[in-house]
Amino acid sequence: MPIATETENAGHVEPTPQQLRRDLRAAETRKRLGALALIAPLAIFLLMTFIAPIAVLLMRAVENPEIASALPHTVAALAKWDRKSAPPDQAYAALAGDLLKARQDSTAGPLARRINSELSGARSLIMGTARALPFHDADGKELQAAQPSQAAQIREAMIALNPQWAELDSWQVIARNGSIYSPYYLLASLDLKQNVAGDIVQADPDASIYRSIFGRTLWMSAVVTFFTLLLAYPLAYWLSTMSERRANLLMILVLIPFWTSILVRVAAWIVLLQSEGLVNTALMLVGLTQSPLELVFNRIGVYISMTHILLPFMILPLYSVMKSVPPTYLKAAISLGSHPFAAFWRVYVPQTYPGIGAGVLLVFIMAGGYYITPALLGGPNEQMVSYFIAYFINTTINWGMACALGGLLLTGTLILYAVYRRFARIDVGIA
């Protein structure tokens, strides 16, 4: 028996530390691959529906392909032009050839629309010239843009067709936008532009509207957030002091707006706030007003409707935080001689800062992107950035400007989130 035991022990090889480490790494690798396989469908879904559209949006904000792709020979002919003297004759010949090809390829329309966005009246200039091509000389022979000897004749024919070709404005627009990528849309969304020398300057006063629109968006979002917090805080505190059964029952009433379409709720507020609606009728019956108040198609109606719609998004984070605050803290402060209000303000409220921050951030970001409510309940002076994004997409088909405005709105959202994260880290004592 002892001999058999020694033989078995002699045949058993103990694993080395290196083998144990390799086996451990292999087991950890298998676990990671299994975890990645489980989250891969979700990651692919987020990539295709969230990250990829944002990347495309940011790319379209700096893309400027219409002029560079439709007028390649013209851009090359203007590469060494000083943008102050008259364009060379070769530029006229190159433009005639590019416009003729653009008409044949059906790209003259987008080209004319793009130049018209910077130079009023350029659409008729481009389309009229494209329709008149090719030009002919006095003997009726077709002028060839590829022949340098005929460049001067093409120049005279274009100026005779439309004297605006003798001016520098249209040529400067073409030369300035010769690259596929440019900051034109981003600058325009900030009421800026590039001058002839390429320097960034203030846009014309009649075209400087977007800063005021962004300011209006931020102001309206801040007002809605303030009133939402003002209404949600006492309601969330009241719900947190109830028993769980009653709180859940009342929370269902808070969540009912989630199950109702925004269009339905906005239409309901139009009915309630109009001149002959229930609100004005009730105010006149109790004698508070002598005539109907203007509560719709102005900023008051937008504030009321947006506050009502976004109220649950403030209540939920506040309630979740308040429910975790022990009520004994407040009782202990009062028992130690503190005034009830002072105890509430100095002991209870600081413990709800995470809920306040989360609710304010959520409501402010959502309010900044609202479109339907201001469009239906507000007037021209109540439209926010999202209204103009929809306008450029649906009406003028200007994807570059729409993406630039959307990119700036996204950047502002990320900045707000970064600021919130920074303050949240400070609150929990993380440097």
Side-chain angles (χ1 to χ4, degrees), residues 340-358:
F341 179 78
F344 180 83
W345 184 255
R346 300 178 62 181
V347 176
Y348 186 84
V349 172
Q351 297 183 78
T352 62
Y353 284 164
I356 294 174

Side-chain angles (χ1 to χ4, degrees), residues 65-75 94-95 97-102 105 107-108 110-112:
E66 293 87 357
I67 296 176
S69 59
L71 305 176
H73 300 93
T74 308
V75 171
L95 179 61
D98 288 337
L99 287 180
L100 181 59
K101 188 176 185 302
D105 297 342
T107 58
L111 171 66

Side-chain angles (χ1 to χ4, degrees), residues 77-92 155 159 164-173 175 196-197:
L78 295 174
K80 297 182 179 180
W81 179 46
D82 59 3
R83 305 184 187 182
K84 296 179 181 179
S85 59
D89 294 344
Q90 291 77 9
Y92 285 88
R155 175 182 178 275
I159 295 176
Q164 191 173 350
W165 285 120
E167 301 176 2
L168 300 182
D169 294 346
S170 55
W171 296 102
Q172 290 170 349
V173 172
V196 177

Side-chain angles (χ1 to χ4, degrees), residues 32 85 198 242 316 369 378 416 426:
R32 293 195 196 98
S85 59
M242 292 183 177
L316 291 177
L416 288 174
I426 293 175

